[in-house]
């Protein structure tokens, strides 16, 4: 699953989805969907919540992945 598929599954427009994850720019949301930019940690976590965990924040943001990997080493 990717961000675009999640948005479509939820039946949300780009603007509606952006608002649900805390973004004010449809353009920025479009860039995230197309893989041109990573969402912030906060937005990645909100996307994970909307997906009920099916789209992990760590798969969307390298910093989240780094933190999760670090925690796994302890």
């Amino acid at each position: 699953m990717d961000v675009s598929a999640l948005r479509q599954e939820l039946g949300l427009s780009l603007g509606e989805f952006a608002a649900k994850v805390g973004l004010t720019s449809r353009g920025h949301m479009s860039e995230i969907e197309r893989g041109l930019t990573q969402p912030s940690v906060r937005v990645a976590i909100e996307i994970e919540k909307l997906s009920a965990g099916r789209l992990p924040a760590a798969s969307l943001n390298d910093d989240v992945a780094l933190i999760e990997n670090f925690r796994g080493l302890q």
Side-chain angles (χ1 to χ4, degrees):
M1 169 175 283
D2 62 21
V3 177
S4 179
L6 172 64
R7 178 178 63 78
Q8 292 173 15
E9 178 183 299
L10 296 173
L12 299 172
S13 70
L14 196 58
E16 291 167 334
F17 190 85
K20 285 198 175 284
V21 299
L23 294 174
T24 57
S25 168
R26 288 184 305 145
H28 190 172
M29 191 69 246
S30 176
E31 290 174 355
I32 292 168
E33 277 196 359
R34 291 180 289 144
L36 300 177
T37 188
Q38 289 189 353
S40 67
V41 170
R42 180 184 51 78
V43 170
I45 291 169
E46 291 302 320
I47 292 170
E48 180 175 329
K49 287 179 188 177
L50 276 178
S51 75
R54 293 178 296 148
L55 191 55
S59 72
L60 301 170
N61 180 287
D62 292 339
D63 291 334
V64 176
L66 180 66
I67 292 165
E68 287 186 0
N69 287 336
F70 175 74
R71 285 183 178 165
L73 296 174
Q74 295 181 345

